Amino acid sequence: MEWLVLGFILLAIGTAVFKPRQCDVCSAGFKRKYFTWKIEGKKQHLCPNCNSKMTRRQSTQRFKDRFG
């Protein structure tokens, strides 16, 4: 039972250490939520503001591709 608790604690610490801390686009610090995008072949972590901008940009691009 002690090993299970120790393993859970180590997992929680490892997750906290490797969690992204700031937006790769605007360098704003993350408070709670972040979004992962693949931009130019690289995995990028975006804040909610940059995520909404990227969503709008993709939506506009797909509309233009489909309807001209």
Side-chain angles (χ1 to χ4, degrees):
M1 186 67 168
E2 293 171 359
W3 290 105
L4 182 62
V5 173
L6 182 62
F8 182 73
I9 291 171
L10 289 175
L11 181 65
I13 290 171
T15 303
V17 168
F18 295 113
K19 182 177 161 187
R21 302 202 185 276
Q22 65 184 12
C23 179
D24 291 328
V25 176
C26 69
S27 300
F30 295 131
K31 293 184 179 161
R32 290 192 179 134
K33 199 167 193 179
Y34 64 91
F35 301 88
T36 304
W37 283 76
K38 194 167 192 178
I39 302 172
E40 296 177 358
K42 295 166 111 180
K43 188 186 278 188
Q44 304 285 322
H45 303 287
L46 276 60
C47 65
N49 186 31
C50 292
N51 179 61
S52 65
K53 288 179 184 179
M54 285 295 293
T55 303
R56 282 194 306 270
R57 184 178 294 168
Q58 273 201 337
S59 177
T60 301
Q61 184 64 36
R62 287 183 180 162
F63 184 85
K64 285 181 183 177
D65 289 347
R66 182 164 182 180
F67 298 111

